[in-house]
Amino acid sequence: NPQRWGGAIELSILAKYYGREICAHDIQTKRCDVYGQGCYSERVMVIYDGLHYDALALSAFAGAPEEIDITVFEVTSPTSEQASLAAKELVQKLHEAKQFTDTANFTLRCTVCQKGLTGEKQAQEHAKITGHFNFAEY
């Protein structure tokens, strides 16, 4: 389905396609899954907030323009280790600030009939029964 992002399967495919490890940090669980681990000499990192994946970058120096951010790391380099530690610290801070979406438990409202729902599962069931597909978080 071109309207949906699947996650783990696609990250595995992308790791193989680009020939790089992909470290995916999950804010809610604070877990880091590594796709292509041990297969490649380079690594990239992404962060997942429950809805979206965003690339992580290491600033070359304070105030450096984004164009020179470091986004690809040699797996065994000190810079890679520094970036991994910084990513873990960022994930911890974002987790403590609850900067993630818990799709199993977030509260939604159907914008068609105004029914309150909890989680993605209830929204899918509601859509299947009613044909309503527009929801908003509240």
Side-chain angles (χ1 to χ4, degrees):
N1 181 340
Q3 298 298 316
R4 295 179 183 252
W5 171 261
I9 292 170
E10 285 82 356
L11 288 171
S12 265
I13 292 167
L14 288 169
K16 187 173 183 178
Y17 180 82
Y18 286 105
R20 294 185 173 130
E21 286 184 0
I22 299 176
C23 298
H25 295 270
D26 185 309
I27 297 169
Q28 183 179 3
T29 65
K30 298 187 284 183
R31 188 179 73 227
C32 178
D33 295 318
V34 182
Y35 300 89
Q37 187 169 20
C39 298
Y40 308 109
S41 62
E42 294 181 322
R43 169 182 297 156
V44 297
M45 292 181 275
V46 296
I47 192 165
Y48 180 63
D49 68 4
L51 295 175
H52 304 284
Y53 287 89
D54 291 303
L56 289 175
L58 188 63
S59 181
F61 54 88
E66 286 183 19
E67 299 81 42
I68 64 170
D69 282 354
I70 303 164
T71 57
V72 179
F73 306 92
E74 291 294 322
V75 170
T76 59
S77 74
T79 304
S80 179
E81 184 61 30
Q82 177 188 3
S84 292
L85 290 172
K88 289 176 186 173
E89 289 175 13
L90 175 63
V91 167
Q92 181 64 37
K93 287 177 185 175
L94 293 171
H95 177 83
E96 289 171 2
K98 301 213 183 300
Q99 294 296 306
F100 58 86
T101 301
D102 180 357
T103 59
N105 297 303
F106 62 170
T107 53
L108 297 170
R109 182 167 309 283
C110 175
T111 60
V112 176
C113 68
Q114 304 305 309
K115 180 173 181 165
L117 305 159
T118 301
E120 185 176 28
K121 186 176 179 181
Q122 279 189 8
Q124 288 173 341
E125 290 171 1
H126 180 75
K128 187 176 180 180
I129 293 166
T130 64
H132 300 166
F133 295 98
N134 293 321
F135 303 96
E137 267 191 272
Y138 75 98

